[in-house]
Amino acid sequence: MATTDHQQQQPSLRQRRREGRTPSDETITSAAGDVADAPKRDEVVWGKTPGGEVFRVPTTHDVLTLFHPGYPKSHIDLFNLALLGLQLVLFFALSRKAAQIFFLLYFAFWRAAYDLGLGWVLTKQSKRKWIVREVQRLGWLDEKRKPEVRQWIKKQLAGKMGKDYSFDELPLEYNTWLLFRQLVDIILLNDFLAYCMFAFSCFRVPEGLSMTVHVMRWIGGIALIAFNLWVKTEAHNVVKDYGWYWGDVFFQRGALVFDGVFELAPHPMYSVGYAGYYGLSLIVGSYAVLFVSLAAHAAQFGFLVFFENPHIERTYGQKKPLAQRSPLMPKASRKLEDTTEAHSRQSSVSSAASTEAPTPAATEGETATESEEVYTETETEQEVEVTPSRKSKRHSSLGLPSVSSREDVPRSASKRIQLVSQHDLFHRYFRQDTVFLHNIDLLRASDFQFVLLMTYTLALVFVPSLSSSGALALHFAHALLWNLFHSFGLGLLLRAQSQSKFLVRHYLKHYHYPQNDRGQGAIQEAFQNWKVIYNLSMTMTYASFVGLAVKTYSVPQQWTVGNELLRHTLGVIMIGLHIWSTLESYEVLGLFGWFFGDFFIEDFPSHLEYTGIYRYLNNPEVFSGAAFFGLALISGSKLVFALAVIRLLSQWWFLSKVENPHMRKLYGDSIRSDAGFVKVIKKVAQKNARLLESRAGRHAPEIKRVAREVKGTFDKVYEETAEVVEEFLAKSRPRISEVVQDTKVLLQQSRERLVISRVASDLSSYDTKKYKISIVPSADGTYRFHLGEPIRVKWRAPLHHSRKDWIGIYRVGANQSNLVTKTSSLGMWVPVHDDEWDGDIPLHLHHPKSADPHSPDVEEGEVVFKSGALPWRTGKYEVRYHHDGKYNVMSLDGPFEVVVDKPSTLDFASVRKSLMHIVPLCLDNDPSLIPQSCKADQDPSAPENAEDGRDPDDFRFWSERQAKRISLAVEQAFDVELTPEVIVADANLSALANRILVAKELLSE
């Protein structure tokens, strides 16, 4: 059994261990395994093809036998030696400059053949056994189809093998691997020699270096080359030819045990195994060789990343579900356990270990090698203590679960098990945390400050030296940006919060909160982050304005000449007025009003008190512009004055468009129309008007008439303007909504149309009337399918139809033509012959028998759309039958509608019942993923509680794509946006139902 340390290491193709082999694997690994003292030469190694055929693996020889005169040479070997000899001839025949150019290009060719060519064909072989199937399709090893080719290949292979090799008895996969080895030898040897020839052609003796440096350079280079040779030799001694030539892409062999050089460094064949590149660069003393070596080494790492690592995960990876809640022993229990007897501890450990899924054997046929979607976890799932049954702290009109409201819910749904799990523990302490530039959220204060700090740091580094006028313009732009952001940016954000609770909605959507906090966590976090961002913005607005004023200020030479002293005096007075009004406003508002708490918190009493400075003014914030005009007077700068005017106008916009509408929304008629200062001014104006009327005598009526007309004119203009603006806004709202919706549709269509429609040129030989597809109705007999429900489509086509025909699902109206499809299916397609589909190559060329005796030239069948091939957006769709892997439409059917189950009432039981239908469909009805409560609902004989004691409402995921499906379904069913990360964090029907109800309650208030 492998140790824990070895299990945690990620194996490479040169370093992989077979975990958890089945008993049958143990028996075929070594026939002499039971005899401890058996000689090594008597050991027998067995292999197993993906189809399950077991065979004895014969002895193979390494590549160095190519240069051994005692071994026979095949035609392929002679061709390889000829290519190598040609390189040596060209090296001596070409001039130095020509040799450098030729061998650089020649080496690039062989390096591309290795990293791109071999990487491509090995990837296809790993996924679909493409190389084996190509050999099978071409008939190279088929004695009946191409006996000459088979005989020639047999001679090429048999001459290089030992006496235990039998070409006729070994399976196709093994012989194909031996043939593939010949190609690999040609590429590897020519790649190596071309690099050496290029390096030797670039040889030079660097000038200006001492003899000691030259000696050290040669010693270091020789040491690196020797180390390279040692690594390669040791690696081959460990992995043998099976690992060296990627044998596990073709067949599976016994367990591989690694030691020696594989404990020296990760992926030694690709990392330290290329040290010779740099050793030879040192010896030849050429930067060109060094840079070529770096590029070639980088290409080799690309081969590792894009082929070998995915192949390892595909072949040896263990599928681990996301959100798996494995109960952990609480810390207190562990301390208590330490005092118990040893056999009790061992029993606890054994029971905990039994909860882990075993690793599937790597040699268990197709399932171990051909899985297209194998997801492996790279992070540990961490979980938390599950809370007991929740009680509502306040009554909810949406029917949030309380003691009384949950009595009609099955006990399995309300039962909570007080155990700690790694998954919940992880999501308690980690919530979309920022890692460098990943997971940045600008509505989170810490991230906003982080981005701001990064921006200023980069600006200091990259902004060039500026002239005085340039620096002044930069300061003005800086102050202007902060002013606009503070008034308009935060103003629009605050207005969105007032109208639709935008900030609270954002935090509910993107962040996970405890199940029993009833949405208060989102409100508190939204308000806390708003306060920090608002305070930072206000501070930077003042600081940037003062910075501009200081930059434009110059100390007067003579204070008493002109208006210098007057400007400074008035400026200081206005700054003092600003400070006084701000302090008075803060004293009345307090922290709650200062940070606009009534936009977020509804628990505070909603009443107005006109005290302090608000006794005299409704909006003392107008004095906040006094300091800006004061600084403009002191500096005497037109730029500062212009910015002060912009500040005043933007502040007026904020008051009229953000704050005042929200005040009217909250307090209605309790808002007074005139403040004390305005009332006094009006009284004085009325008194003066009466005095003027008494003194006007006979002209008084005329003056009153003119005054009324002027006032009426202004009132009429104001009313008409207000009516026009209101009418414009009323008419523009639906149009804006339509524009937004149309924009979404256009974006969707643009995504769909990212395809180049390929059409066939042989349609004349096919009768489109013989093609027909029809959608099989759903269980209720209609053409309405629930989101995630499999869709079955029957098809009918001529017997000689292309084996590459396929059927796709498209939105109704996405394609204007019924003859050619011009939009992408976005993955919603299935081949007509799924088992015969391999890219553009049919795997089986047989013609099935006709299903209809009266129409012998017709074939019928049925395909099923499921999982990722389904549409995950509600709407109307159609199906299209396409010809020969192209986009020619031979038949279509539809429309059919995709719908989602929406509860009739918003209460806990209804929402949970809808989720019990939605979640299993999004999880492909996988029994290992769906909640136990759903199994009990579908099968009454199923046990009510989970076998391992977990909450029966818990569910899991194989990939984040399944969580995204649930996120989309929840948005369409309940109009609540939750990110897939929040869905994964909950992973529980009751918790998710609670979260939906809390979101609906908070966002509907």
Side-chain angles (χ1 to χ4, degrees), residues 392-394 396 400-401 515-520 998 1001-1002:
S392 298
K393 294 185 179 180
R394 57 173 178 166
S396 170
L400 291 177
Q515 298 179 18
N516 57 349
D517 81 329
R518 304 189 61 80
Q520 295 304 307
V998 167
E1001 180 184 14
L1002 288 178

Side-chain angles (χ1 to χ4, degrees), residues 69-82:
Y71 286 87
K73 302 296 181 289
S74 65
H75 295 166
I76 299 177
D77 292 339
L78 295 176
F79 175 71
N80 196 0
L81 291 173

Side-chain angles (χ1 to χ4, degrees), residues 309-320:
N309 285 342
H311 169 70
I312 293 168
E313 294 178 2
R314 193 179 301 115
T315 306
Y316 300 96
Q318 177 184 359
K319 294 177 67 175
K320 294 182 181 179

Side-chain angles (χ1 to χ4, degrees), residues 185-198:
D185 284 341
I186 293 175
I187 293 175
L188 293 184
L189 290 175
N190 281 273
D191 172 79
F192 169 74
L193 186 59
Y195 172 79
C196 293
M197 295 298 99
F198 169 71

Side-chain angles (χ1 to χ4, degrees), residues 561-590:
V561 176
N563 59 0
E564 296 291 343
L565 188 58
L566 178 62
R567 286 192 299 105
H568 283 74
T569 303
L570 292 177
V572 171
I573 291 174
M574 296 183 76
I575 293 174
L577 179 64
H578 175 100
I579 296 174
W580 170 80
S581 65
T582 302
L583 293 176
E584 287 293 315
S585 299
Y586 179 76
E587 184 177 352
V588 175
L589 296 174

